[in-house]
């Protein structure tokens, strides 16, 4: 095996936050992957950028998430949001994607009983209806439209609101909370100033709102996911109220933020590759593999954090217990060792990307994000045959979730 230098000169972590790289971080990722694919920043932090290494960590049970009694989640130095939901012993209650077995296994099993593939598939006609309403509004506009503001953002927030049974009048609050709560996916040391407090405030407001809504669903159940989560049981086990609230917060991030980014990033990629756009328009049956390729090509999730739960190794490189590993999913998805011509968009490709994770923590909301994106792209192909960029796209300043804040289009 080729010896890996984990100490070579490498780009700084601050480079990942540099606005100059927001529009196209992939040359920077390539330098990480080529010069030091396993970069040891210090004794407690490593950055991995190759597909094989990132996938190995995600499926290895020796790597997971820091436990609830870790100093990073307790005491004065703990992140404010970690103190919003706590159990009777004062330990933070987190969504199941942030837990390790057996807690992860138990909570995911309970949630999976309510958030089923059948429930997602049943949403398809309603998503189509919502998308049609929004697209009709775009068509009636004079001049350019903003796909992010006018379609990619309101559609997922409407879907996750209806899924959870949130009244239409409260959807604007869901949007505000989603943007702030999504900061939970950013490692502490990469947060911009003030973001931790904003995140904690959003957690408090959202969980207070959900606590009241869950109480209503207990009294009067409906045909929504929140009612199903309130009612779910397994051999006498059930989600506690705080576990329910943590799960819904996780669904808000997974069901909204990542979908907005996937729709925006995917549309921009197609517009910048007119040959692939034309190919997809001529063969709509390619829509499902096309969405997978768009996920690989410009992933809405660029960074995944894992924690060494015990002494381990990756590609024969020792990793001490307690080490945090930052997995550059965006770099892994462009690894030439895993994908032929990785910087080329190919809507006929069927890639095994890492954009929804890998292993036991694979994203439970992946089918919903795929479905919404497929519906939007089909509609765009069918109803806007002359669509083109009408200005310069603008990117969000989020290191973990990569997405656009503005995508001006002319629908022709």
């Amino acid at each position: 095996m080729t010896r890996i230098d984990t100490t070579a000169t490498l780009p700084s972590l601050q480079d990942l936050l540099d606005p100059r790289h927001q529009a196209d971080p992939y040359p920077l990722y390539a330098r990480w992957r080529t010069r030091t694919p396993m970069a040891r920043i210090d004794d407690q932090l490593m950055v991995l950028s190759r597909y094989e290494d990132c996938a190995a960590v995600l499926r290895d049970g020796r790597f997971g998430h820091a436990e609830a009694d870790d100093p990073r989640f307790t005491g004065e130095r703990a992140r404010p949001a970690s103190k919003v939901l706590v159990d009777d012993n004062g330990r933070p209650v987190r969504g199941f994607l942030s837990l390790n077995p057996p807690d992860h296994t138990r909570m995911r099993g309970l949630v999976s009983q309510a958030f089923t593939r059948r429930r997602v598939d049943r949403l398809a006609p309603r998503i189509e209806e919502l998308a049609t309403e929004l697209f009709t509004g775009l068509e009636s506009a004079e001049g350019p439209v903003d796909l992010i503001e006018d379609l990619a953002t309101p559609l997922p927030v409407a879907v996750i609101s209806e899924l959870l049974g949130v009244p239409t009048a409260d959807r604007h609050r869901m949007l505000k909370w989603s943007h702030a709560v999504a900061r939970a996916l950013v490692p502490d040391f990469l947060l911009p100033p003030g973001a931790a407090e904003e995140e904690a405030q959003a957690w408090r407001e959202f969980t207070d709102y959900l606590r009241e809504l869950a109480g209503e669903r207990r009294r009067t159940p409906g045909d929504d996911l929140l009612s199903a989560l309130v009612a779910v049981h397994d051999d006498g086990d059930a989600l506690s109220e705080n576990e329910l609230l943590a799960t819904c917060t996780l669904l808000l991030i997974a069901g909204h933020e990542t979908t907005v980014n996937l729709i925006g990033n995917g549309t921009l990629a197609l517009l910048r590759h007119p040959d692939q756009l034309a190919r997809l328009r001529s063969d709509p049956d390619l829509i499902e593999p096309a969405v997978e390729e768009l996920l690989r090509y410009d992933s809405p999730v660029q960074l995944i954090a894992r924690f060494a739960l015990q002494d381990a190794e990756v590609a024969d490189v020792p990793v001490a217990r307690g080490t945090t590993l930052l997995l550059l999913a965006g770099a892994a998805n462009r690894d030439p060792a895993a994908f032929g011509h990785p910087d080329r968009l190919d809507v006929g490709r069927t890639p095994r990307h890492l954009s929804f994770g890998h292993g036991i923590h694979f994203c439970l909301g992946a089918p919903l994000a795929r479905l919404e994106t497929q519906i939007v792209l089909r509609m765009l192909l069918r109803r806007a045959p002359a669509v083109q960029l009408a200005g310069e796209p603008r990117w969000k300043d989020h290191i973990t979730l990569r997405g656009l804040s503005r995508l001006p289009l002319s629908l022709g």
Side-chain angles (χ1 to χ4, degrees), residues 240-299:
S240 69
E241 182 174 81
N242 279 350
E243 288 174 341
L244 172 68
L245 299 177
T247 296
C248 290
T249 305
L250 170 65
L251 292 173
L252 175 63
I253 300 172
H256 177 245
E257 288 291 326
T258 54
T259 307
V260 173
N261 295 347
L262 175 55
I263 292 172
N265 297 3
T267 301
L268 178 60
L270 288 170
L271 291 172
R272 286 178 167 172
H273 295 80
D275 61 322
Q276 296 303 300
L277 180 60
R279 182 183 176 190
L280 189 56
R281 184 172 281 123
S282 66
D283 186 1
D285 289 342
L286 285 176
I287 194 69
E288 291 187 13
V291 169
E292 299 310 303
E293 172 68 347
L294 294 169
L295 279 160
R296 180 202 70 82
Y297 184 79
D298 200 6
S299 173

Side-chain angles (χ1 to χ4, degrees), residues 13 43 90 101 124 134 168 171 173 188 193 196 211 233 247 250 275 292 354 365:
L13 280 176
D43 290 343
L134 291 167
T168 302
R171 287 179 187 172
R173 302 173 70 189
D188 297 17
R211 187 176 281 110
H233 289 78
T247 296
L250 170 65
D275 61 322
E292 299 310 303
L354 301 181

